[in-house]
Amino acid sequence: MSSLDGGRAQRMRLPIFTHKERLEVPSPTEKDWSKDDEEDYVFKDPDQELDSLPQPYRMINKLVNFLFDRSWEVIEERDGLREAEVSRVQPTIYPPVFESKFSEMPKCMAISQDYVFIAGAKGFSIYNLYDAKLIYVCDKIKAEVTSIWATDLGSEILIAPLDEMGIIRLFYLCKDGLFLIKTINEVDDTTKQTTCIKMEVSHGGDFAAFLLQGAGDTWLDVYKLPKESWLKELEHPPVAMNPKKKVRQPQLDINICFKGDIKLSPPVHILKIKPPKPITGTTFKSPLEVFAKIEGCYGLGSGQNHFIKDSQWEQQSAIFNATYKKYLDGEWEEEPLSVATFHFLLPSCIISMPTEVKSPSGVACALGIHWAGRHNYFIYSLNRTLKDKVDPEGVWPCAAPIAVSQLSYCCSYLVLACEDGVLTLWDLAEGFPLGVIALPEGCSCQSIHFLKYFVVHAGRNVYPEGPVKSQMMCVLLCTDSSLHLVAAQGTQGPTLRVLVERPTKHPDEALCAVAPVLALPGMVLTVSRNGSVLLLDVAGPQVVCAFAPPKPCHLVVTWKPACVVSLHHPYFLLRGDYPDGASDTRHSVFYFHFDSYPLLENISRNCSVSQADLDPTAFPQALPLEKRCESFLQKRFQKLENKVKEQEHWTRLRRYSLFLQRESMKK
């Protein structure tokens, strides 16, 4: 750096003095020198000398100087980054335990129970989660699968692959058989073909919802899944119509086969939900006529039952157009189709349902949905038929349009994040809001990820055994790549803590994906734009370790999802690509097992503690509400007992003082 600084110093020239007139050779003696020579010199800037150069040399000189200065700034910035990288503590990097290679790029993947489902060019493949061995290849779709969902139904798995044409199918994996249940949106006339955008299965697998688009319209179809009928039909399968027909099986050593001759009961279509219609004018003449048109009070106050006169609507529209004329001038872009986010909700006292409807415990009874750009969260009952009128049983209005919503794994907590950065936290199981909290100014929520509630006991993160009520934690990934932790408990109000700041000096370290690790208490996986995958302890927060594929493979961070984590096993998957010529197969899926790494082995195996071992005074939030009330009453009784003892002691002192007074009077 010294040589560079010296070179730069040589470029810096001091101001020089120039003579106004032509200089002559001075005489040898100082006596003959003129005393007025100093007045003949003027101060001149060196840059002005360069400006006297003719064009284009003056412009070339300025460009060269600009490039030199800019290059110097880049060199200093890179040198500072290099020094900071050397001084930074690097986490331990763990390699994968297994690798599955593919000749063609896998589109997406999902994990359920002990299986890995990877979408391919003509269907999907099933792999063993523990050894990455291929179990079965399903090529019945005959089209490229772009998305795949897998839902655990207990001992069975419901698989929903979505192909490139937007057609979604339901497969049922039971024991050693794979069954096609139904193609949801396939039609004979291709001009009437609809496209599936997303799907969701309820907790327990009793209902499924599909968001469809077609002919310039968007709607949500909800189906009831006959799980019990499927199990009965597989116990006594019907005789095939053609007994000579045999199911073709791939030439692989597998224990799963496709059984196309067994037809299972199809799902029952029970509900079709469309986006709320825009408010239009009416021709009523009096308020009495308006009340006569209102059939019910559902959604009252939510902006859905407004009746506005045509003239008033036109007047408000004219005022709006006149006020914002400069913003409205120009070409209007076509409004995109509505996109919805929806969740299946379990029975609770916060969800109002008809009195005659009784839903069994643990089975979804309602569907919560919000549409993009809308303020309202609608709740629809699932106990209906397709012929019933579609009206919401409840409407939760928000002050701003809802941007993101997320339901917890146990279906007990719901978070609504609005576009203005305000979050509303709901405890659906107990039936009250946990609070409202706002993100820092300029932050907008991008995704919400729930954590299983944990406590820090004896210096490590642990899960309290048994039920924990009204305690929730979640991490928020914001659009500026910052990561926040939100925690709420009972009536104390939610708290917000920054886990990862917005990267200003290192843009390549910006977070692009987050995935909670339920096998490790208080841990989340973070994926950055530069391909680094870190395990973050949110209690610190601190980086525990890192994961990376073998070199020269690099991760595909733009792939959705960037990583897939198992909900019940200590495994997660990453997809990576090799450079051209580095491997026979360019694409791979890497398996990481937390128990295989010494640093994480003890954390994964000893991740829970009984509530009896927890100190109630130090961790009252880990106890159930009944235990906390009992502990509170015991403390109050102890205080009362202490007061009684103090009173008795004071009484004895008074008696003794009276006795001493009497003795003194006798003397």
Side-chain angles (χ1 to χ4, degrees):
M1 295 297 294
S2 60
S3 62
L4 294 175
D5 291 337
R8 192 181 185 187
Q10 292 176 2
R11 294 183 59 253
M12 300 179 62
R13 294 168 295 169
L14 297 175
I16 60 177
F17 289 94
T18 60
H19 200 275
K20 294 182 180 179
E21 301 177 358
R22 185 176 180 181
L23 296 178
E24 298 179 355
V25 179
S27 61
T29 60
E30 297 182 5
K31 296 180 180 180
D32 299 333
W33 290 4
S34 175
K35 296 181 179 180
D36 299 332
D37 285 347
E38 294 181 358
E39 298 178 0
D40 297 336
Y41 289 88
V42 294
F43 183 79
K44 200 167 186 180
D45 192 348
D47 291 337
Q48 293 180 359
E49 271 194 343
L50 298 177
D51 291 342
S52 62
L53 293 174
Q55 291 287 12
Y57 303 105
R58 188 164 65 247
M59 179 60 68
I60 295 174
N61 184 77
K62 290 183 179 180
L63 290 176
V64 171
N65 290 337
F66 173 77
L67 291 176
F68 185 87
D69 294 338
R70 181 57 184 156
S71 301
W72 182 262
E73 293 176 0
V74 172
I75 291 173
E76 288 182 336
E77 182 180 356
R78 290 182 179 179
D79 188 67
L81 293 177
R82 191 181 299 109
E83 291 180 358
E85 190 71 22
V86 172
S87 61
R88 185 187 303 181
V89 178
Q90 298 294 333
T92 305
I93 301 177
Y94 290 117
V97 293
F98 300 111
E99 178 182 0
S100 295
K101 297 184 178 182
F102 299 88
S103 58
E104 297 181 357
M105 182 178 62
K107 298 301 179 181
C108 57
M109 54 189 175
I111 300 177
S112 183
Q113 295 185 10
D114 304 334
Y115 303 100
V116 178
F117 304 90
I118 299 179
K122 295 183 179 180
F124 62 92
S125 304
I126 305 176
Y127 288 80
N128 192 323
L129 177 62
Y130 304 110
D131 55 11
K133 290 184 178 180
L134 180 64
I135 300 177
Y136 179 70
V137 177
C138 179
D139 55 356
K140 307 298 178 182
I141 299 178
K142 304 298 183 182
E144 186 178 38
V145 176
T146 57
S147 300
I148 189 168
W149 293 268
T151 305
D152 186 1
L153 302 182
S155 57
E156 303 82 31
I157 300 176
L158 186 67
I159 310 164
L162 176 66
D163 65 20
E164 58 186 350
M165 302 300 294
I167 300 175
I168 190 167
R169 300 169 176 84
L170 288 183
F171 288 86
Y172 185 64
L173 180 60
C174 181
K175 297 179 180 179
D176 59 347
L178 183 65
F179 309 89
L180 176 61
I181 298 176
K182 180 181 176 61
T183 302
I184 299 298
N185 58 333
E186 188 175 27
V187 294
D188 297 332
D189 188 359
T190 57
T191 60
K192 299 180 181 180
Q193 180 64 56
T194 60
T195 302
C196 180
I197 305 300
K198 64 171 70 173
M199 67 91 60
E200 189 78 25
V201 179
S202 66
H203 181 73
D206 296 281
F207 299 92
F210 305 89
L211 184 63
L212 303 176
Q213 289 183 353
D217 197 4
T218 305
W219 66 93
L220 186 72
D221 281 343
V222 184
Y223 290 82
K224 183 176 178 59
L225 305 179
K227 295 191 309 178
E228 293 77 9
S229 300
W230 294 343
L231 292 176
K232 293 179 180 179
E233 292 167 359
L234 293 179
E235 290 178 0
H236 306 284
V239 180
M241 297 300 295
N242 186 6
K244 296 182 180 181
K245 182 179 179 181
K246 296 182 180 180
V247 179
R248 183 182 65 84
Q249 299 183 6
Q251 301 298 322
L252 297 172
D253 185 13
I254 58 175
N255 53 6
I256 293 180
C257 62
F258 181 76
K259 300 182 178 180
D261 56 341
I262 299 179
K263 302 297 182 181
L264 300 180
S265 299
V268 181
H269 192 192
I270 61 172
L271 188 60
K272 184 175 183 178
I273 303 174
K274 292 186 177 182
K277 296 181 180 179
I279 302 175
T280 57
T282 57
T283 58
F284 66 88
K285 297 180 180 179
S286 64
L288 296 177
E289 185 179 352
V290 176
F291 286 110
K293 292 182 179 181
I294 299 178
E295 298 180 358
C297 61
Y298 290 113
L300 189 62
S302 64
Q304 303 304 312
N305 283 347
H306 286 336
F307 287 83
I308 301 177
K309 199 172 182 179
D310 285 330
S311 58
Q312 184 179 2
W313 187 261
E314 293 174 358
Q315 182 181 2
Q316 294 295 329
S317 179
I319 296 174
F320 179 83
N321 293 332
T323 306
Y324 301 98
K325 181 180 180 181
K326 62 180 181 179
Y327 302 103
L328 299 176
D329 291 341
E331 297 182 358
W332 283 60
E333 296 182 358
E334 184 178 355
E335 184 178 355
L337 295 176
S338 299
V339 179
T341 303
F342 43 94
H343 313 283
F344 287 97
L345 308 178
L346 297 180
S348 65
C349 56
I350 202 172
I351 301 175
S352 59
M353 290 296 165
T355 55
E356 65 274 6
V357 175
K358 294 183 180 180
S359 299
S361 177
V363 178
C365 67
L367 178 75
I369 180 175
H370 69 87
W371 300 89
R374 303 300 177 94
H375 294 66
N376 298 325
Y377 188 79
F378 298 94
I379 299 177
Y380 295 87
S381 173
L382 297 175
N383 295 278
R384 66 175 77 211
T385 62
L386 194 60
K387 297 180 180 180
D388 297 337
K389 188 176 181 180
V390 181
D391 283 327
E393 270 66 31
V395 181
W396 296 354
C398 297
I402 303 174
V404 184
S405 65
Q406 187 62 46
L407 187 69
S408 63
Y409 303 105
C410 58
C411 303
S412 299
Y413 306 103
L414 176 68
V415 176
L416 301 178
C418 296
E419 293 181 358
D420 58 356
V422 176
L423 283 77
T424 306
L425 288 66
W426 290 91
D427 185 350
L428 301 179
E430 298 299 324
F432 64 89
L434 292 173
V436 178
I437 194 169
L439 293 173
E441 186 177 358
C443 287
S444 180
C445 183
Q446 178 180 346
S447 60
I448 304 172
H449 309 271
F450 274 93
L451 301 177
K452 187 177 179 181
Y453 186 78
F454 71 95
V455 295
V456 181
H457 177 65
R460 61 189 182 92
N461 302 343
V462 292
Y463 291 133
E465 295 180 353
V468 179
K469 298 181 179 179
S470 300
Q471 313 288 338
M472 63 147 289
M473 288 183 178
C474 63
V475 291
L476 308 177
L477 179 60
C478 297
T479 53
D480 62 352
S481 298
S482 61
L483 190 65
H484 303 262
L485 175 66
V486 176
Q489 49 181 352
T491 58
Q492 296 184 11
T495 59
L496 182 69
R497 183 160 58 95
V498 179
L499 299 178
V500 179
E501 296 281 356
R502 176 186 178 183
T504 55
K505 297 182 179 180
H506 308 279
D508 58 335
E509 295 183 357
L511 300 182
C512 60
V514 176
V517 182
L518 299 185
L520 304 176
M523 305 286 184
V524 295
L525 285 172
T526 63
V527 183
S528 304
R529 293 178 183 175
N530 58 6
S532 62
V533 181
L534 303 178
L535 183 64
L536 180 67
D537 183 0
V538 301
Q542 61 180 354
V543 176
V544 179
C545 62
F547 305 94
K551 295 182 179 180
C553 182
H554 64 276
L555 296 181
V556 185
V557 295
T558 58
W559 198 52
K560 300 296 181 181
C563 63
V564 181
V565 184
S566 175
L567 297 178
H568 306 290
H569 304 290
Y571 283 86
F572 80 96
L573 308 179
L574 291 175
R575 209 211 87 184
D577 291 344
Y578 286 95
D580 294 337
S583 177
D584 297 337
T585 55
R586 184 180 178 186
H587 312 286
S588 294
V589 172
F590 299 97
Y591 294 65
F592 294 85
H593 185 201
F594 295 116
D595 291 346
S596 300
Y597 310 122
L599 187 62
L600 307 176
E601 183 178 3
N602 293 332
I603 301 178
S604 176
R605 295 181 179 178
N606 303 316
C607 62
S608 61
V609 62
S610 63
Q611 295 186 5
D613 296 336
L614 296 175
D615 185 5
T617 59
F619 305 105
Q621 67 274 16
L623 299 177
L625 185 60
E626 294 80 3
K627 294 289 184 181
R628 293 166 63 185
C629 293
E630 183 180 354
S631 176
F632 175 76
L633 292 176
Q634 288 178 355
K635 292 179 182 179
R636 296 292 296 175
F637 283 130
Q638 290 177 0
K639 291 182 179 180
L640 290 176
E641 292 177 358
N642 294 334
K643 288 184 178 181
V644 172
K645 292 180 180 180
E646 291 175 359
Q647 186 67 28
E648 292 177 354
H649 183 64
W650 179 253
T651 304
R652 288 196 299 268
L653 288 176
R654 290 186 61 188
R655 290 176 181 176
Y656 184 68
S657 64
L658 292 174
F659 175 75
L660 292 178
Q661 289 180 4
R662 291 173 184 174
E663 291 294 327
S664 62
M665 292 176 63
K666 290 180 180 180
K667 294 179 180 180

